[in-house]
Amino acid sequence: MKKTILFLSCLVLTLSLNAQTSVSGYVSTVNQNQQISKHIYGHFSEHLGRCIYDGFWVDKSLNVKKEGRIRMDIVDALKAINIPNLRWPGGCFADEYHWRDGIGAPNSRPKMVNTNWGGVTEDNSFGTHEFLELCKLLGTEPYISGNVGSGTVEEMSKWVEYLNFDGESPMSKLRKENGRTEPWKVSFWGVGNESWGCGGNMTAEYYADQFNRYATYSRDYPGTKLKKVAGGANSDDYNWTDVLMRKSRNQMWGLSLHYYAIPTGSWGNKGSATDFEEQEYFSSMKNALRMDELVTKHSAVMDKYDPAKKVALVVDEWGIWTNVEPGTNPGFLYQQNSLRDALVAGSTLNIFNNHSDRVKMANLAQTVNVLQALILTEKDKMLLTPTYWVFDMYKTHQEATLLPVKFTSPNYVVNNKSLPSVNISASKDKNGVVHLTMVNLDAKNNIPVKLNFEDLNWSKAVGTILTSAKFTDYNSFDQPNKIKPAAFNGASKNGDQLQLSLPPLSVVAITLN
């Protein structure tokens, strides 16, 4: 009898979870003024594995187009997605990096051991000047993370002076001696990184005092006001956010948040990047969607001290983190990039767009050959990952006006656990054109979508889709174009209503003309 009751209960739960089979909703287009900052679409380049060395910065003998030693096929690919900012030199590496070791004649720079990532020796041939030349070639804003963990207030203060002061001083003189007359006017400035962990194992109270001290001496020079980003919380440490907002909010432009989606939920065995079943795919997406909860709750803490939302939430490390590829250095964090990763990226960017009243900046980890990379290289070969193509499809949201979308979604159910099948964000660009990005996480089912619009004249829907047969599919050097965007012709106009059907495992971008 008990078994029968249990079976019937599970059946009722399953039927109720699957009762809804389509998305219906409403897009508000009138009197909206919340801008989606382009800096939400930022990236991260740490001295880790093959991101800098053998990624952006290659051997002189490598047979690829280069500017000095900067690899230009990577630069061209990133320019194509309008990369708005690039974070450097870390990550954990930032708090063991001493900037003076990376300036001057390359053959006179001291070597260093990268104790965080693989114990490799670096020659410091890629330093401040090289990074800022890379940013110039990319047409992007630099975001530099300063050393609080093993550095000094004087060291950070003088780095800012070296970068930004245009008058007579010891640091501006040194900069000129190293070949740069004009200051770079770097604005985004991280004061330490993960100070609760690899950046010093500090308490929130201690770090808040250190942030206030370091930030005080990180000066605003004429023509450049620093946007100082305080090292924020690990995942759901809301106390850290509370302490920093209470003690330090008046000195910061932004407060960071780091969160990685671990497929298995276990740091000991995070799961394969390409070899997994539906249950692990489901848990990956469940963990990725937790970003919405984290942003909501950290924003609520910030609202207590900053109801006007003057302090930005800066999610400057996010992405999916799996086990490294078999046979690679475990300290290099090289992982493949599957369709699952693209669905994580699309869903996360939709979350950030919809929270753009507080989230003003974010940085995917990382750009080349590390974690959820946009680009993978193998000697002279280079490929664009499924995640890269999501950023290409979503670039229309940069600096556009957020259009709130109210909708209900069916659930994607695996083993009686559920998550929303569909997530959406929408915006209107400066020309008045409306763009929607939608993700269907369901591994098996097409999801019909019907959306109404408030006072919007449009005649045609133009679409792009990114999908593949399996969530484990990926681009390889043998098949670099297995997953790439294609035209989506499944959207239509019925009266004033947009109608379409989202295929399983798909990211779809729609433009209304």
Side-chain angles (χ1 to χ4, degrees):
M1 183 64 178
K2 288 182 179 179
K3 289 183 178 179
T4 301
I5 293 172
L6 178 62
F7 170 77
L8 290 173
S9 298
C10 291
L11 179 62
V12 169
L13 175 62
T14 301
L15 290 173
S16 65
L17 288 172
N18 286 294
Q20 185 180 345
T21 58
S22 64
V23 167
S24 59
Y26 176 83
V27 183
S28 181
T29 61
V30 176
N31 297 325
Q32 302 301 325
N33 56 20
Q34 176 58 55
Q35 191 174 58
I36 299 172
S37 171
K38 66 181 180 180
H39 291 295
I40 284 173
Y41 290 81
H43 296 281
F44 177 28
S45 56
E46 184 169 6
H47 286 242
L48 197 175
R50 296 192 300 116
C51 184
I52 299 295
Y53 297 101
D54 201 29
F56 282 113
W57 189 249
V58 295
D59 190 90
K60 294 176 182 178
S61 65
L62 188 68
N63 187 27
V64 294
K65 183 181 177 183
K66 300 183 290 294
E67 288 285 340
R69 290 175 59 185
I70 295 172
R71 184 167 177 161
M72 290 304 294
D73 54 357
I74 292 176
V75 168
D76 292 340
L78 294 175
K79 286 175 68 177
I81 60 171
N82 300 339
I83 176 176
N85 67 74
L86 187 62
R87 182 174 181 245
W88 172 86
C92 292
F93 182 82
D95 283 295
E96 68 174 1
Y97 182 68
H98 301 282
W99 68 272
R100 288 198 196 215
D101 292 344
I103 61 172
N107 59 6
S108 68
R109 298 179 190 180
K111 293 181 171 60
M112 67 171 292
V113 181
N114 189 334
T115 61
N116 281 289
W117 305 118
V120 296
T121 299
E122 297 193 6
D123 64 5
N124 274 312
S125 59
F126 188 93
T128 297
H129 289 250
E130 291 76 22
F131 171 66
L132 292 167
E133 179 63 20
L134 170 63
C135 290
K136 177 184 175 182
L137 292 170
L138 289 167
T140 196
E141 286 198 56
Y143 172 20
I144 292 180
S145 295
N147 183 343
V148 171
S150 68
T152 66
V153 171
E154 179 187 19
E155 180 181 14
M156 185 178 291
S157 177
K158 287 187 174 179
W159 198 4
V160 175
E161 180 185 328
Y162 186 88
L163 294 166
N164 291 346
F165 185 54
D166 196 22
E168 291 285 336
S169 79
M171 292 301 101
S172 64
K173 180 175 182 289
L174 180 61
R175 182 186 70 235
K176 292 171 185 176
E177 289 171 354
N178 289 328
R180 173 76 183 193
T181 302
E182 301 297 323
W184 287 281
K185 298 185 177 181
V186 173
S187 181
F188 289 116
W189 192 255
V191 183
N193 168 80
E194 293 191 358
S195 298
W196 39 264
C198 63
N201 286 305
M202 304 175 194
T203 64
E205 289 77 8
Y206 182 79
Y207 171 69
D209 290 339
Q210 291 300 301
F211 170 80
N212 291 341
R213 180 167 168 250
Y214 277 71
T216 296
Y217 291 94
S218 297
R219 306 294 192 184
D220 292 335
Y221 290 102
T224 311
K225 183 173 179 60
L226 288 184
K227 295 176 180 176
K228 301 169 192 175
V229 179
N234 177 23
S235 185
D236 58 0
D237 186 352
Y238 302 112
N239 176 67
W240 188 280
T241 297
D242 191 283
V243 171
L244 265 293
M245 288 299 294
R246 174 166 48 84
K247 297 187 69 171
S248 305
R249 66 185 181 278
N250 293 329
Q251 292 226 57
M252 66 176 74
W253 175 83
L255 179 62
S256 75
L257 169 66
H258 290 181
Y259 175 68
Y260 290 94
I262 309 300
T264 63
S266 169
W267 285 92
N269 179 17
K270 295 180 282 291
S272 168
T274 57
D275 184 13
F276 51 91
E277 302 298 330
E278 186 176 10
Q279 176 61 49
E280 191 167 310
Y281 163 73
F282 178 89
S283 65
S284 302
M285 303 318 302
K286 189 87 170 176
N287 293 336
L289 292 179
R290 188 173 174 231
M291 182 66 82
D292 187 70
E293 172 194 325
L294 295 172
V295 169
T296 298
K297 290 184 176 180
H298 281 289
S299 296
V301 175
M302 296 173 77
D303 286 347
K304 287 197 308 180
Y305 302 98
D306 176 35
K309 301 183 187 295
K310 293 180 180 179
V311 178
L313 184 60
V314 179
V315 191
D316 56 15
E317 289 189 31
W318 68 271
I320 187 168
W321 191 329
T322 72
N323 294 337
V324 302
E325 289 303 295
T328 65
N329 187 326
F332 281 12
L333 305 187
Y334 178 81
Q335 63 191 50
Q336 248 297 350
N337 194 289
S338 70
L339 178 64
R340 173 182 65 178
D341 298 18
L343 298 169
V344 168
S347 300
T348 304
L349 291 171
N350 280 340
I351 291 168
F352 292 158
N353 288 345
N354 289 324
H355 285 279
S356 55
D357 60 335
R358 180 65 81 176
V359 179
K360 303 295 184 184
M361 190 174 192
N363 302 81
L364 176 70
Q366 294 187 14
T367 319
V368 186
N369 291 329
V370 172
L371 296 176
Q372 192 174 347
L374 300 180
I375 296 168
L376 301 178
T377 66
E378 183 180 274
K379 297 182 180 179
D380 61 341
K381 296 179 183 178
M382 186 269 277
L383 67 79
L384 306 176
T385 68
T387 295
Y388 172 91
W389 291 116
V390 170
F391 276 81
D392 187 52
M393 293 167 67
Y394 278 55
K395 65 187 178 185
T396 53
H397 289 307
Q398 293 186 25
E399 300 299 306
T401 299
L402 177 71
L403 301 179
V405 186
K406 303 294 184 183
F407 68 97
T408 55
S409 169
N411 283 324
Y412 170 40
V413 182
V414 175
N415 293 341
N416 292 324
K417 295 181 180 179
S418 69
L419 56 80
S421 296
V422 173
N423 57 81
I424 304 172
S425 68
S427 67
K428 181 188 289 187
D429 68 22
K430 63 182 180 181
N431 297 316
V433 177
V434 171
H435 304 276
L436 300 100
T437 47
M438 311 179 189
V439 181
N440 180 10
L441 300 177
D442 196 302
K444 300 181 178 70
N445 297 306
N446 286 278
I447 307 293
V449 176
K450 296 180 180 180
L451 292 175
N452 293 295
F453 295 85
E454 178 185 17
D455 191 25
L456 181 69
N457 293 319
W458 62 284
S459 59
K460 184 180 180 182
V462 178
T464 304
I465 185 170
L466 187 75
T467 190
S468 195
K470 298 181 291 185
F471 41 62
T472 53
D473 285 347
Y474 60 92
N475 292 338
S476 68
F477 292 103
D478 294 326
Q479 291 183 289
N481 297 311
K482 185 178 181 68
I483 303 174
K484 65 183 301 185
F488 178 73
N489 300 313
S492 62
K493 190 174 190 286
N494 184 5
D496 291 330
Q497 190 178 73
L498 172 67
Q499 296 186 354
L500 65 148
S501 182
L502 293 175
L505 303 172
S506 66
V507 181
V508 173
I510 301 290
T511 297
L512 300 183
N513 294 321

